[in-house]
Amino acid sequence: MLFLTFLISVSIASQDLLKKCYLEQFTIGDPEVKIQIYFEDHVIKNHQIEYECLEFIISRGYYKVALSLYENYFLLNHIDITDRIVQFLKNDKYLNQREMQTLFKLAMAKSNQVQVVQPVVQWAQSKNATFINIKFSHRQDAPACLNAKLEVVEIKNDSLLIEAFGIVSHIPFKYRYAIKLYKPIDPATSYEKVESVGTMYVNLTKIEPVLWLRLTEEDYKTPIWWDLKDNFRKDMEEFAQMLEKESERKERNADKQAKKNQKKRDQEKQKQTSQKAQEAKRQLEYEHNQCYKPGKCEIGWYQRQ
């Protein structure tokens, strides 16, 4: 009788967890991919999920669902369950599963410093605004981080700060883009907008309606977003001419600097040659003077004469 009561209580508790963890509509025969899609499209976006649900999903053998839940809900929302999940996964029963090995490594990596990278950036402009395209990726030819979550957007009069968090190939990344702008902008009328998955767009309203020579106060190159040339043809063509003139100016300055450096090297070489000649002259004079002393002319200037 006691055993039957125990089984009934366990069954009731299991039913409560199924409902609490949004699994009550699924049966044992349902493919795991169906459950994973449901969680990613509906549950993660719209509900709060408690840690015990993650353990419950793992215990039922839905390893892919658990890994997706950990990455896309707990990690992206900075819910720290590292110690609990690491302790739970130390059970060899779960670490034999590939997805659980990945989850375990990811949890251990999250306990250390997350790698910070700068996203891929392009920019374009009109006389009235500056446009910045940001792709949350660590390099130009890599795909965007599909689950990147925007965390910080600070548009100030003279600066821009963008921060996002995402996971690529089960590795957590923090994307950070911080710059001092070339000229002041109006934060009140500037704005940002999330574009396609893993990318965003920033529109900065200029205070002074002029073309900028570069995007940042520092003089380093940010790739030009030439895809916007058709949208602002006249301004972008004028901008291209500015860049060409600036390139020519830098080339002339580089030539001048190269000639200046060569002249400096020639002067240094002449100085060294002169110093060597003076040193040789002093040595000859020293040897000559030694010959006026008795017994000092066995070697030196006198014998060579």
Side-chain angles (χ1 to χ4, degrees), residues 115 117-121 134-145 168-169 173 175 198 223:
Q115 185 176 353
V117 297
Q118 179 168 302
V120 176
V121 176
I134 299 175
K135 181 175 79 168
F136 295 111
S137 175
H138 59 289
R139 65 175 191 270
Q140 181 68 46
D141 58 349
C145 176
V168 179
S169 299
F173 283 95
Y175 299 94

Side-chain angles (χ1 to χ4, degrees), residues 69-132:
L69 180 60
Y70 180 70
E71 288 185 340
N72 296 305
Y73 181 77
F74 290 99
L75 272 187
L76 285 183
N77 289 293
H78 299 292
I79 301 172
D80 189 5
I81 59 170
T82 302
D83 293 339
R84 297 172 71 181
I85 193 62
V86 167
Q87 188 63 36
F88 179 76
L89 288 177
K90 283 183 178 178
N91 187 329
D92 291 338
K93 171 185 174 182
Y94 299 123
L95 284 182
N96 289 332
Q97 305 298 323
R98 180 170 57 87
E99 291 85 4
M100 294 302 94
Q101 292 174 9
T102 301
L103 199 160
F104 184 80
K105 291 176 182 178
L106 189 55
M108 294 298 291
K110 184 64 177 68
S111 65
N112 300 320
Q113 184 66 35
V114 176
Q115 185 176 353
V116 180
V117 297
Q118 179 168 302
V120 176
V121 176
Q122 294 177 305
W123 78 291
Q125 63 174 321
S126 67
K127 284 188 170 69
N128 296 313
T130 292
F131 316 104
I132 303 176

Side-chain angles (χ1 to χ4, degrees), residues 161-212:
L161 172 62
I162 304 290
E163 290 185 355
F165 180 76
I167 300 161
V168 179
S169 299
H170 309 300
I171 299 174
F173 283 95
K174 180 177 181 179
Y175 299 94
R176 190 174 193 274
Y177 183 59
I179 58 171
K180 282 283 187 181
L181 295 168
Y182 182 61
K183 287 182 179 292
I185 56 100
D186 179 14
T189 56
S190 300
Y191 63 92
E192 81 283 350
K193 183 174 68 172
V194 175
E195 294 283 276
S196 58
V197 177
T199 64
M200 68 175 296
Y201 164 84
V202 182
N203 187 311
L204 304 176
T205 305
K206 297 177 179 177
I207 291 179
E208 184 183 4
V210 295
L211 292 177
W212 295 0

Side-chain angles (χ1 to χ4, degrees), residues 3-4 11 29 33 102 119 122 134 141 143 145 170 172 176 179 181 218 238 255 272 282 285 292:
F3 181 69
L4 180 60
S11 177
V33 67
T102 301
Q122 294 177 305
I134 299 175
D141 58 349
C145 176
H170 309 300
R176 190 174 193 274
I179 58 171
L181 295 168
E218 301 82 8
E238 186 177 339
D255 289 341
Q272 291 176 357
R282 283 195 294 270
E285 290 175 349
Y292 286 97

